[in-house]
Amino acid sequence: MRRWAVQIVYLAITAFVIFYVVQALGEREYGFGFLNQPAGFDIGNQWLVDFDGTTSSRLTLFFVGVWSTVRVVAVVIALSTVLGVIVGVARLSPSWLLSKTAMLFVELFRNTPLYVQVVIWYAIGLFGLPTIQNVVNIGNFLFLSNRGVALPWPHEQGGFWGGADWMVGVWVGVLVIGGAVALKVRKRLQNQEQATGQTRYPNRIAMGMFAGIAVVSFFLLGMPVYVDRPIIEGTNYAEGMAVRPEFAALTLGLTVYTGAFIAEIVRASIQALPKGQTEAANAIGLSNYQRLTLIILPQALRQMIPSITNQYLNANKNSSIALGVSYFDLFFVANIISNKIGHAVEIFFMIIVTYTVLSLSISLVMNIANSRITARDKEDGTRTSGLRQRLIYALRSRVPMGETS
């Protein structure tokens, strides 16, 4: 009876809240027709998009902001993962200086507000770097100033055979197919290596195969891509690709902040493994690199993924602080639209839906990766125990069959 009473009270409160919200918002009109009207203003930090604030719609402007958020989050996820693994492993290093330096990095960036870090990085970029008049020029190939970093960037062209610009798409397709073939060959060589104990060099062969496919197809298609070198026009960069201070500050701040948390996840996951596994790897004479890549990290990965997924989701949501450094992400752009024309309810509904879709997409990818790793570990377990299987594979990779160590 008490359980039913609690549920009835909960439903009553929920109904009252919904009724109150509907009544409070019921006097105004709702709709998304305003999104089809011209934006009437322009934004910066554009990359791979063609946006004109005077003619493009507000919906187009919003999607430009979404793209700006996606590229920041994608770069942050990649860089913070690499940084987190390196720092996490360094925390367990027998070197006192290295381990303490890694600990200082984690404690400093993990316990400092993210917004403060991003603003500091932005201030360093604006006031710590030389002006565009005193730009740092590295061989007319790279420029560095408080306007950002200008880098060479590939650009499509007709090539030797005078083909269409879309030939670059053909070359990208060839690269994708070549990468898939190289991965398939790598997997097959690894299986042969595991079965026979003979060294097959799967990584070297796969990388060489992919490089060969890329180079041969590049020339056969008439060199459909050329490198566009940056130049300086007045007080701005032209041509090439410019990494603006706003993008750099936001990316750097999110990377070190997220990387500090990932480092602790990596450290804890490695320390959670039984010490006997490390001792077994040492007993067969594996190097530190082999022990880490063949024994430790593959087993710790299954424990890392759920926690690392949470950090990826946090990075996605934390990117909304871009407003603090004037980077035009989806939250900043949506706020500009709302401030100019109102429709705050519709705008914030779009913000909530967009962040939800991005977070669910990240979760989907990580869940698929987690499922594949779990399935692979179970498959290893059907043949033999996970540790024994990895030790046998590592030992065979180190000592070819028929030879003695």
Side-chain angles (χ1 to χ4, degrees), residues 15-31:
F16 174 77
V17 171
I18 294 175
F19 176 79
Y20 177 81
V21 172
V22 171
Q23 288 295 319
L25 300 177
E27 297 180 357
R28 66 184 303 273
E29 295 182 0
Y30 300 97

Side-chain angles (χ1 to χ4, degrees), residues 273 277 295-303 377 386-387 390:
L273 296 176
Q277 302 191 16
I295 306 299
I296 304 301
L297 285 182
Q299 296 182 83
L301 187 61
R302 183 169 52 183
Q303 302 179 45
D377 287 347
L387 172 61
R390 290 190 176 91

